[in-house]
Amino acid sequence: MSYIFMDFEASGLTPAWNVPLQAAYVETDGDLRPLRETVLRGRLPAHVVPAPDALVVTGLDPDRIEAAPLSQLELMQAIARILNAASPTTILGYSNLAYDEELQRHSSFQTLHPPYATSMPGFKRADVLIMLRAVAMLAPEVITIPVTPEGKPTMRLGPVCRANGITFAEADAHDALNDVHATIALFRLLHERAPTIITAMMANAHKSGPAGLLAGPAPVGLGLFNRMMPAGGIMPVPGNASSWAVADLTVDPAYLDATPEQLGELLFARGERPLRLVKTNAQPILLHWGMAAPDAQGEIPSAGHCQARLARIRGHARFRDNLAIALSGRFTGKEPSPWPDAALYSGGFISREDAITSRRWHEVAWDQRVRLGRELLGDVRLKAFANRWAWLESPEELSVAEREKGAAWFAHRLDTLEDVPWLTRPAALQRIAALKAVAGPAEPDRLRQLDAIQRWIAGRGRTFSQAA
């Protein structure tokens, strides 16, 4: 057994429109003894405008980013090699399933690498933040959850570590390797203080664990926010076996005769709802009800009552049929994104032929890459990415028409005033002005930092624009 702990520092918070600038991977054995660690630093590609807030929080200096040794293509190639060499293993991080892994997927996709590498056979995925939430709900006496000055609980990595005796200065945060070391220390602590809970949660690091619980005959405990509720699996979502419809067994199933449209409203309403979806491939807090029940909060029906409700729900054939219709129509009417960057989940899986061509694309020189993009790549998203990188990295291999098209794309990407889902240069400069106004003369270091970021963003892309 081995683990790989990972963390990214990135250009912004939206995975489809940002890239990793620093990546840290620490491989350990099953006893958490470090075996090897790798830190990668990549330059920001010219078409990505970094979020000023992200640069301020992480302290990533423009000069340091520009001086990074790897291009974005080289950075993602190095990450692909690390993952290929590590299997079989379990990937862990802190909030990695919600962010770092999503960033890795989108960046792999946009650089013609397999986007779902860590979901392939040989990999499991776990999140120390999710496991911390489980421990806080089920064994609150073994872990200290700190509070903010406003009195609100916080599960930020630094405060949680310090509240539980792990040395991790705030100045060390937002460095990928420091964050990884702190995550390993916290995982070790959770395992020592709550071994039964962590063992059960690690069984959910592969989708087969939660799927087996939901398909079983008995109610299970489902962790939601700060409480556990008795739940029962109903069915996997048609066309997506990694997502299950589950029932809240604290609620009387008066919805069994509802129409598909009414069930759709129940499933996707905001806030509390009697039916919801659980992602089995995202390490849900899903445990045998016997483990969760002693600390369940609120008025919970008896185990026998929950079992009877589950049997009633599963035995209602018309309800199951209508629910399947509601689930199948979940995305009906939604327009796919016109932008390839945002089309990872809406454009279908990459074909075997395109996967082979993409792998070959990384092995050849730019003149052959251009040919592969023109002639062999069939997926329009991958073709767009291949053309993009050719224009950014080796425009001399393109035709005049292709260079002109690339220049128009680049100008639009950086400076359009349209309502677009990515951060443009005008929007970033406007945000910097707002941050400066808040900082004021009382924070000279912050103002100097913002001035440097402003100069950098204002000048980005100038060389490309002049060449075009």
Side-chain angles (χ1 to χ4, degrees):
M1 178 196 300
S2 71
Y3 300 122
I4 288 187
F5 291 82
M6 54 90 74
D7 185 73
F8 287 153
E9 300 301 333
S11 62
L13 292 178
T14 51
W17 303 106
N18 286 282
V19 296
L21 299 175
Q22 185 186 47
Y25 291 85
V26 175
E27 185 176 354
T28 77
D29 62 16
D31 295 319
L32 300 181
R33 289 187 293 259
L35 300 175
R36 61 189 59 83
E37 63 182 40
T38 305
V39 178
L40 306 167
R41 290 175 49 235
R43 298 184 295 276
L44 187 71
H47 66 287
V48 175
V49 176
D53 297 77
L55 298 178
V56 168
V57 169
T58 60
L60 288 169
D61 178 79
D63 290 339
R64 188 169 180 237
I65 294 172
E66 292 288 358
L70 301 175
S71 69
Q72 194 63 206
L73 286 176
E74 292 166 337
L75 175 71
M76 296 311 301
Q77 181 74 19
I79 289 173
R81 285 195 295 266
I82 290 171
L83 295 177
N84 288 336
S87 177
T89 192
T90 300
I91 307 286
L92 298 100
Y94 198 81
S95 193
N96 57 305
L97 293 183
Y99 179 70
D100 300 80
E101 284 256 337
E102 285 298 308
L103 182 66
Q104 182 171 280
R105 277 187 177 183
H106 282 87
S107 295
S108 296
F109 173 55
Q110 293 172 25
T111 54
L112 283 75
H113 289 289
Y116 301 106
T118 59
S119 295
M120 293 294 103
F123 287 98
K124 297 179 180 180
R125 305 190 307 153
D127 190 324
V128 177
L129 173 59
I130 294 174
M131 289 185 275
L132 173 66
R133 289 174 177 157
V135 172
M137 280 190 280
L138 297 170
E141 70 281 0
V142 307
I143 195 75
T144 299
I145 301 300
V147 296
T148 66
E150 295 76 29
K152 295 183 179 180
T154 176
M155 289 191 176
R156 287 178 52 227
L157 179 59
V160 168
C161 285
R162 290 189 289 274
N164 290 278
I166 298 171
T167 302
F168 186 45
E170 194 61 32
D172 295 330
H174 304 299
D175 173 86
L177 186 59
N178 289 341
D179 286 357
V180 167
H181 287 158
T183 300
I184 294 172
L186 181 57
F187 180 63
R188 180 184 287 111
L189 182 76
L190 292 173
H191 200 283
E192 290 171 351
R193 294 185 180 179
T196 302
I197 296 171
I198 296 305
T199 298
M201 286 298 298
M202 288 302 290
N204 292 345
H206 188 271
K207 61 184 178 182
S208 59
L213 288 172
L214 291 171
V220 296
L222 176 63
L224 297 172
F225 306 108
N226 61 348
R227 68 183 180 93
M228 298 293 298
M229 78 173 192
I234 305 172
M235 66 173 66
V237 173
N240 181 8
S242 294
S243 184
W244 268 72
V246 302
D248 180 349
L249 298 179
T250 66
V251 179
D252 181 74
Y255 47 77
L256 292 179
D257 291 318
T259 65
E261 293 75 15
Q262 291 168 331
L263 291 175
E265 292 176 2
L266 288 177
L267 272 166
F268 307 118
R270 292 182 178 273
E272 296 295 325
R273 51 194 185 274
L275 301 171
R276 60 180 63 240
L277 298 181
V278 170
K279 293 182 179 180
T280 57
N281 63 350
Q283 201 192 21
I285 302 176
L286 199 66
L287 308 165
H288 291 288
W289 183 238
M291 179 182 292
D295 293 292
Q297 301 173 13
E299 293 189 15
I300 301 297
S302 67
H305 201 164
C306 289
Q307 186 72 62
R309 281 182 174 172
L310 180 57
R312 184 178 160 201
I313 292 167
R314 288 179 171 175
H316 198 294
R318 187 169 67 252
F319 163 71
R320 289 172 58 84
D321 290 344
N322 286 342
L323 181 61
I325 293 171
L327 292 169
S328 297
R330 181 183 180 191
F331 300 108
T332 300
K334 288 190 175 181
E335 290 292 329
S337 173
W339 315 109
D341 311 64
L344 172 59
Y345 297 123
S346 61
F349 291 109
I350 295 168
S351 70
R352 181 176 179 273
E353 292 76 13
D354 278 337
I356 293 171
T357 301
S358 295
R359 186 164 60 247
R360 177 63 177 156
W361 187 87
H362 285 280
E363 297 170 349
V364 298
W366 274 110
D367 59 338
Q368 297 178 70
R369 290 186 184 188
V370 169
R371 185 184 64 81
L372 289 175
R374 285 177 184 150
E375 300 175 10
L376 295 184
L377 278 174
D379 191 304
V380 294
R381 301 166 299 175
L382 298 182
K383 190 179 288 287
F385 299 144
N387 292 340
R388 170 186 305 178
W389 289 114
W391 188 84
L392 291 169
E393 300 284 342
S394 191
E396 66 277 3
E397 299 295 341
L398 299 173
S399 67
V400 172
E402 288 169 331
R403 287 199 296 272
E404 290 176 349
K405 184 177 180 181
W409 160 80
F410 185 69
H412 181 265
R413 182 66 177 255
L414 281 189
D415 291 325
T416 181
L417 299 179
E418 298 171 7
D419 183 16
V420 291
W422 63 85
L423 184 66
T424 63
R425 185 160 45 186
L429 295 175
Q430 186 176 15
R431 178 58 183 162
I432 292 171
L435 291 173
K436 282 184 173 183
V438 172
E443 297 184 79
D445 291 341
R446 174 63 58 86
L447 288 174
R448 280 193 291 270
Q449 182 186 23
L450 289 169
D451 282 340
I453 295 171
Q454 183 179 40
R455 288 192 297 271
W456 182 48
I457 290 178
R460 282 185 59 76
R462 190 171 295 154
T463 301
F464 283 92
S465 300
Q466 290 171 349

